Amino acid sequence: IIFESTDLICTAKSDSSVIFSTSGAYYPTRKLFVGHGGKVNWRRAGHDESYARAELGSYSIDVSGSDFTADSAVFHCPSVFKEPLYGRYSDKILANVTEENASYPRFYSYSLDCEIRDLVPGIDFSGGFSIQGVKVIGYGTYEHPAIIAIRRDGKLFFRYSSQSFA
């Protein structure tokens, strides 16, 4: 079954997920939706679209489950990044989710070189960027850690490195 343009909605108990303006094909005997494009947001985690949203590339959803991943997503968070980030989007429907405890949807940047100057005054961040429901997490690897640099009087005072910062 071909869908030229539709909103794809998944609901369970008190949680729901929506892919707006997507297209694709549903294969009923395989319980599989293969989609392309669409827009998602973090509204169910308490963030409006002006804070965080993403555009999806190609994805597939096993409709007998409650989760999916889109390996090609463009993430927009204009209050933090001037340019969009490219990465992986994932979503999962869970029971008893509220805005305060939402752990989905999630986005992980491909780049480990995202920079946020003055995250708070005098503190800079460099590393991978992830948003997991209500949590914003900076991440890195053992070989390429995330870094938080603290400046005092305009000069580097202290530098922390870790595989993640929440």
Side-chain angles (χ1 to χ4, degrees):
I1 304 168
I2 305 296
F3 295 89
E4 296 294 327
S5 180
T6 190
D7 294 341
L8 197 57
I9 302 168
C10 178
T11 61
K13 298 205 178 192
S14 63
D15 198 13
S16 65
S17 176
V18 181
I19 303 173
F20 298 95
S21 303
T22 191
S23 61
Y26 176 58
Y27 300 90
T29 59
R30 295 172 45 201
K31 297 183 179 178
L32 182 69
F33 182 85
V34 178
H36 182 75
K39 298 173 185 171
V40 293
N41 60 51
W42 273 256
R43 189 174 298 142
R44 67 192 230 246
H47 301 299
D48 67 30
E49 290 181 45
S50 65
Y51 176 75
R53 66 186 189 286
E55 298 154 3
L56 305 181
S58 298
Y59 61 92
S60 61
I61 301 174
D62 174 352
V63 298
S64 65
S66 63
D67 64 321
F68 83 98
T69 298
D71 260 334
S72 56
V74 180
F75 179 76
H76 301 271
C77 189
S79 64
V80 179
F81 299 104
K82 291 179 184 173
E83 299 294 323
L85 300 178
Y86 296 87
R88 184 179 80 246
Y89 174 86
S90 64
D91 207 347
K92 184 174 188 174
I93 302 301
L94 301 168
N96 304 316
V97 173
T98 65
E99 285 184 1
E100 293 79 26
N101 71 3
S103 60
Y104 284 90
R106 296 180 178 182
F107 173 82
Y108 300 88
S109 68
Y110 291 146
S111 173
L112 296 179
D113 295 317
C114 303
E115 291 190 11
I116 304 172
R117 299 277 299 162
D118 286 320
L119 179 63
V120 293
I123 298 178
D124 302 332
F125 168 80
S126 176
F129 176 84
S130 171
I131 183 169
Q132 300 175 19
V134 296
K135 293 182 184 178
V136 174
I137 298 173
Y139 69 94
T141 64
Y142 181 78
E143 297 82 17
H144 193 105
I147 296 169
I148 288 187
I150 299 174
R151 291 176 277 115
R152 181 184 281 173
D153 298 325
K155 295 182 182 180
L156 181 63
F157 174 69
F158 206 89
R159 181 180 159 146
Y160 298 93
S161 63
S162 179
Q163 290 183 25
S164 69
F165 292 104

